[in-house]
Amino acid sequence: MRRTRSSPAPPIGVALWLLFLLVPALLQLSGSPSFASPSPGEGKQSVLGNDISWPQCTTGLPTGQAFAIVGVNNGLANNSNPCLAEQLRWAEDSAGHPEQPTVSLYVNTANPTAAGSWWPDNDEYPAGRAVHNPYGPCTPGDHGKACAYMYGYAKAYDDAYLRGVSNPAGYFWWLDVETENTWSGTDKNANRAVLEGMTDFFHSIGAKVGIYSTGQQWEQIVGTVSSSSNLYSLPSWLAGSLNASGAASACSNAPLTGGGRVALTQFVLQGFDYNYPCP
């Protein structure tokens, strides 16, 4: 997810152009187009979703989306989107898509180790609540997998209970994995452990989880994920397409992990992120 956006929402003509561009791709991929219900107030049908977050707090929002994904952080893993409530209300007005949740959430991820404002030194979070740590024990001064796992678990707990999300178990949560955030440049295992800790927490409350990244960034931060990791079977949301037709084609790209599948692809138009649901 890009950190800055300032353009207004695309006009209806652009949205219609996107729809016409997507029809051949849909026919090729599935044999017949599968559209959502008509988008509100536009008299057309859309298969595309939008994702938004804090950059849209002071700008216009997209319109006519089939589904929506809202960021709960303010660009970093340890803070909050100041207009989350408003953006969730916008998201609830999405038209709907048969294969996507009407509203999902995404969270920033990182492995800041000593550079962060907080780093765990035990296996409790919150204080007094013991966490089973597959890499434990996390001890003071440890910046390896054990404390990295606890950091991820703690940030996911905060995202669920301290950011203003009601009913966190009812959402699908995407982990936003990008080089713009702070990661270890030498310990991919610890980077992976952060994401495993986040995934374990969300799974513990009954929520579903997926991974957002590009293949290049994922390889740089995490690398190959073994089948023993809880990340192995998670669905992928692939960024980096240049346009709608490219996003449709990217559905056939390799997922970020060997046991997952590509569920969404993303492209940018006039400053907004658009998301194509893969069949």
Side-chain angles (χ1 to χ4, degrees):
M1 290 72 173
R2 286 155 180 81
R3 300 292 190 260
T4 58
R5 306 184 185 96
S6 58
S7 299
I12 292 176
V14 173
L16 288 172
W17 170 82
L18 286 170
L19 180 62
F20 295 147
L21 183 59
L22 281 169
V23 169
L26 284 165
L27 289 171
Q28 181 178 6
L29 288 169
S30 62
S32 62
S34 176
F35 296 123
S37 301
S39 301
E42 295 196 16
K44 67 181 184 62
Q45 294 173 312
S46 176
V47 297
L48 297 175
N50 288 103
D51 64 88
I52 63 169
S53 190
W54 63 271
Q56 284 74 51
C57 288
T58 57
T59 68
L61 297 176
T63 60
Q65 72 281 355
F67 57 95
I69 308 171
V70 180
V72 307
N73 304 114
N74 193 27
L76 299 175
N78 61 350
N79 59 21
S80 302
N81 177 356
C83 53
L84 178 62
E86 173 190 347
Q87 292 182 351
L88 286 175
R89 287 192 294 270
W90 162 84
E92 292 291 347
D93 287 335
S94 301
H97 187 279
E99 298 178 2
Q100 293 295 323
T102 300
V103 183
S104 300
L105 303 176
Y106 80 83
V107 296
N108 289 105
T109 65
N111 178 21
T113 63
S117 59
W118 176 84
W119 187 253
D121 58 11
N122 58 63
D123 293 320
E124 294 183 358
Y125 200 85
R129 176 178 173 179
V131 176
H132 170 69
N133 189 335
Y135 300 115
C138 168
T139 57
D142 171 28
H143 295 102
K145 292 185 292 185
C147 287
Y149 177 92
M150 283 303 303
Y151 178 83
Y153 187 99
K155 293 303 103 180
Y157 179 98
D158 292 350
D159 289 331
Y161 296 125
L162 303 183
R163 310 290 179 212
V165 177
S166 299
N167 187 29
Y171 287 101
F172 191 106
W173 295 78
W174 291 98
L175 309 181
D176 180 359
V177 183
E178 300 186 62
T179 54
E180 291 182 13
N181 289 114
T182 304
W183 297 95
S184 172
T186 58
D187 194 347
K188 292 182 180 180
N189 289 331
N191 293 341
R192 185 188 69 246
V194 170
L195 303 176
E196 291 174 338
M198 298 186 82
T199 299
D200 273 349
F201 171 78
F202 286 127
H203 283 170
S204 76
I205 64 172
K208 296 181 179 180
V209 184
I211 308 164
Y212 168 94
S213 195
T214 65
Q216 181 178 10
Q217 292 183 90
W218 182 259
E219 175 58 32
Q220 181 177 336
I221 296 168
V222 181
T224 302
V225 174
S226 74
S227 59
S228 63
S229 171
N230 61 8
L231 306 177
Y232 185 74
S233 298
L234 299 184
S236 297
W237 175 13
L238 299 183
S241 295
L242 299 179
N243 50 43
S245 60
S249 297
C251 288
S252 61
N253 290 352
L256 297 169
T257 59
R261 74 175 190 90
V262 180
L264 291 174
T265 57
Q266 184 190 69
F267 68 99
V268 181
L269 180 69
Q270 293 189 352
F272 284 108
D273 292 345
Y274 288 85
N275 298 292
Y276 179 85
C278 297

